[in-house]
Each structure stands twice: as structure tokens, then as C-alpha cells.
Amino acid sequence: MQSALTLSAPPALATLEQGRAVALFVDFDGTLVELAKEPDSIAPAAGLADHLMTLAHRLQGRIAVVSGRTIDDIERHIGPLSIAVAGSHGSDIRSAFGKSLGNVARSLPAQIDAALRTYANENDVIYEHKAHGGALHFRSNPEAGESASAFAKKVASDHGWKAQSGKCVIEIVSGDGNKGSAVRTFMNTPEFQHARPFFVGDDLTDEAGFAACQELGGAGILVGERDETFAQYRLPDVSSVHTWLEI
């Protein structure tokens, strides 16, 4: 790992394409859309889904959105996606043709859902139920973060699931998926094979994607700053991501 402060901007996408086929894996919140205090408060750029489809044509299908959100939730905000997409931190993976890839996504157990919901109601944090996980958001109440994280980690451990931290959020997800495993699943499909993979993301959960791309001969591109990262390049903000992607 290295400090984000030492990272330079990535070469232009057109430059990367000159040497070898490129595959892109792109986070959603904080990367394609600005972060918001609540998950439903985001304001995606108009025509984002169409712009991503145009980029997919350019890359011959070698692009995927890889997000902590469910696929349905992403599409609720930007419309139907006709490109590859992985939701729920790699627990639910879908090809550009609508085919499910990898293991069948596990539903969040009712006991975990109830525990998180009750905790949120009693501790001034926001609970987000997901089909394949659950999250406690504390962006509007940062002081609650430490106790919320400790609670979620215990609940996850008690039920054999996994807790992972993000920006002002702690999420409980199934233990068999992450953004790195999503990258590897896509890279084993005909559309992505033999390409050089790049993962663009801003959050701690994206580090698994950065590491996977590096292992497969590509690189991670961090959005924003972090003390340490597996990424090899950095872009400062969402606007610069759109510029780099040429969308």
C-alpha cells in the first residue's frame, strides 16, 4: 500500500487503449455520483446510464458498475443498465446480457434486519435495508460511528456474515463476496478476458477491487484521498472521473 498523496493522475483512457484492450470497473457512490447524507438523496447526472452505454460500445462491452448498492437501487436512480453490473459488494453479479454470474446472492436474514433496524431507531443513525445486506449510515451523526460499527460487527459475527466499513457507513454483507471477487468473476467471462483491468473507486470497500486489478496486470484509480491505498493512480473528485471516462 502507498499514500494517496504520492499518486499521479492516470494516463488518458485513449492512451491506455493503445497498448492493450482495457476493462473498466467503476464504483457508483462517490465515483459516478456525488455522495449525499442519505442514500436516496443522491443526484446522478442526467443521461448517466446512456453515457455508460456509449462507453461500453467503445470498450466492446468491457465495463461494469461495481457498487455496494443493489442493482435494482442503482437502476431506480439512473434507469435500466444494459452493461455489466455487480451490486451488494459483489454478492449479486449480472452480465450485460442479463445473466446472473457466480453464486446466487443470499438474502439478509430477518434477525440481522431486525437488529439493525432497532439499533438505528434507538441511536439516531439511518438504516438501509438491502436485498443482500444491511447498512447503518451515520454521515449526519458522525459521533455515532464508533458504537454503530461495533454493534454491526458483533451482529455480523453472531450470524456468520461479514461487516465492512465505508465512508460514514458500516455494512453487513454475506461473507463470500467483495468487489475484488466481482472483478475476478467478470474477468473470467469472454467479454473481459485478456483485457487489462482498471478499477475506479473512492471507498474502503473499493480496495479489494484495486488489489484484484493489480494482481491481474491492471491498476486501481482512487477518487479523493486516503492515507494508504492499493491504487496506483488518483483522480480528485467525481467531476474528474466523468472527464477521464469521457462521459
Side-chain angles (χ1 to χ4, degrees):
M1 287 187 128
Q2 57 186 322
S3 170
L5 298 177
T6 66
L7 302 180
S8 60
L13 185 54
T15 301
L16 293 176
E17 290 180 285
Q18 290 175 1
R20 178 179 167 187
V22 168
L24 293 181
F25 302 95
V26 190
D27 179 38
F28 190 70
D29 292 273
T31 301
L32 287 173
V33 301
E34 298 285 358
L35 293 171
K37 286 188 176 181
E38 299 184 13
D40 279 341
S41 299
I42 59 170
L48 179 57
D50 290 336
H51 294 319
L52 291 172
M53 189 63 200
T54 298
L55 182 56
H57 282 306
R58 170 180 170 179
L59 297 174
Q60 298 181 2
R62 297 184 302 272
I63 182 173
V65 172
V66 183
S67 174
R69 289 182 185 260
T70 64
I71 295 175
D72 287 347
D73 191 39
I74 295 171
E75 294 186 320
R76 182 166 63 87
H77 285 282
I78 66 172
L81 279 173
S82 299
I83 65 173
V85 57
S88 302
H89 297 284
S91 298
D92 188 18
I93 305 175
R94 189 180 78 190
S95 75
F97 307 104
K99 178 183 177 181
S100 293
L101 304 174
N103 296 325
V104 176
R106 296 165 60 192
S107 297
L108 185 71
Q111 300 96 319
I112 296 180
D113 176 75
L116 294 179
R117 193 179 302 274
T118 299
Y119 182 90
N121 289 336
E122 296 176 351
N123 292 273
D124 193 27
V125 296
I126 296 170
Y127 173 56
E128 180 189 7
H129 171 78
K130 302 182 178 184
H132 314 298
L136 295 175
H137 295 266
F138 43 88
R139 185 172 299 277
S140 58
N141 184 16
E143 294 80 8
E146 185 174 348
S147 59
S149 295
F151 177 80
K153 289 175 182 177
K154 184 178 186 309
V155 171
S157 177
D158 288 347
H159 293 275
W161 279 51
K162 179 175 65 176
Q164 55 186 22
S165 300
K167 290 183 176 178
C168 294
V169 63
I170 181 77
E171 302 192 45
I172 293 181
V173 298
S174 61
D176 53 0
N178 59 53
K179 293 185 178 181
S181 64
V183 167
R184 294 183 181 92
T185 296
F186 282 126
M187 290 297 290
N188 282 323
T189 64
E191 295 80 14
F192 286 84
Q193 276 183 345
H194 309 303
R196 187 182 180 199
F198 292 84
F199 196 110
V200 190
D202 73 304
D203 213 340
L204 290 171
T205 57
D206 297 317
E207 292 292 337
F210 299 160
C213 285
Q214 189 174 32
E215 292 168 8
L216 294 169
I221 303 171
L222 175 66
V223 182
E225 296 183 0
R226 185 148 53 249
D227 289 340
E228 290 187 324
T229 179
F230 284 113
Q232 293 174 260
Y233 301 105
R234 187 180 78 87
L235 292 167
D237 49 33
V238 170
S239 176
S240 65
V241 172
H242 284 228
T243 299
W244 186 76
L245 293 174
E246 300 176 27
I247 60 175

